[in-house]
Amino acid sequence: MPKKRFYWGYFDGNAHIKKKGKFKETEWILCDRYLPYALGGGYILSKDLIIYIVKNQNYLSMFTSEDVSVGAWLSPLNITRKHDRRFDTEWYSRGCHNDYLVTHKRSPEMMRLHWSHYIQMGKLCDKEFKHMASYEYDWTVMPSKCCVRNLSLFP
């Protein structure tokens, strides 16, 4: 993994701008979709990107969602973006897989169960399962075509 200019997570480039609800964006005027960003349930930034954000904070627009904001702030930079299906960070958990690095949208009971499995068996899941298909981010196409789900991909 690169040590500099590295942005790692489960990316979306096809997300529509939230017009209502908790994550409604009132200041977004950049384009008709969010710029590609790693979903906020968990992502990793190299130290130099964090320093860049801190040093430029007075020039950066803050949007409703921190993950959308980070994606917009880093969008013009020449950095390495790594989409990784092991980040289970979508609005709904894709299931349970022992390769997950991050899992999101879990109840406290489920988190305790995962922890118990990990302590007892060295793995997150007693039995792996899938609720929703993953996708590989296609960086060679426009963001609106980036994220086609593939049922054969697991995690």
Side-chain angles (χ1 to χ4, degrees):
M1 297 289 168
K3 295 193 186 286
K4 294 193 177 264
R5 299 185 308 177
F6 189 55
Y7 184 15
W8 182 22
Y10 194 84
F11 282 80
D12 191 354
N14 194 20
H16 294 278
I17 311 307
K18 304 285 189 250
K19 304 270 191 219
K20 57 185 175 183
K22 178 180 171 183
F23 296 107
K24 176 182 178 182
E25 292 288 356
T26 57
E27 302 298 321
W28 187 271
I29 58 168
L30 298 173
C31 50
D32 63 346
R33 303 230 177 163
Y34 293 122
L35 298 170
Y37 66 98
L39 300 175
Y43 53 89
I44 295 170
L45 297 172
S46 57
K47 180 180 175 181
D48 58 331
L49 292 181
I50 294 168
I51 291 169
Y52 167 83
I53 290 170
V54 170
K55 283 186 175 180
N56 292 287
Q57 65 183 314
N58 294 329
Y59 302 103
L60 301 172
S61 297
M62 184 67 186
F63 301 106
T64 302
S65 298
E66 120 285 331
D67 52 354
V68 166
S69 297
V70 170
W73 300 336
L74 299 179
S75 66
L77 303 182
N78 182 17
I79 63 176
T80 300
R81 291 168 181 82
K82 167 92 171 115
H83 175 80
D84 194 327
R85 293 188 325 264
R86 296 176 300 168
F87 286 68
D88 180 32
T89 54
E90 292 189 79
W91 60 275
Y92 182 79
S93 174
R94 292 189 315 273
C96 193
H97 195 274
N98 289 315
D99 285 347
Y100 281 163
L101 299 173
V102 177
T103 189
H104 182 52
K105 300 292 184 182
R106 299 294 185 169
S107 69
E109 296 78 23
M110 184 58 77
M111 290 171 66
R112 281 191 281 279
L113 186 60
H114 286 325
W115 178 249
S116 174
H117 288 153
Y118 189 76
I119 293 300
Q120 293 173 9
M121 300 178 285
K123 57 185 185 175
L124 187 66
C125 317
D126 181 27
K127 181 179 168 130
E128 294 180 326
F129 62 93
K130 180 174 19 177
H131 284 305
M132 183 168 55
S134 294
Y135 54 82
E136 278 300 330
Y137 195 106
D138 186 349
W139 297 102
T140 67
V141 299
M142 295 301 288
S144 62
K145 308 250 188 284
C146 68
C147 309
V148 178
R149 293 197 186 272
N150 184 337
L151 293 172
S152 69
L153 292 176
F154 195 57

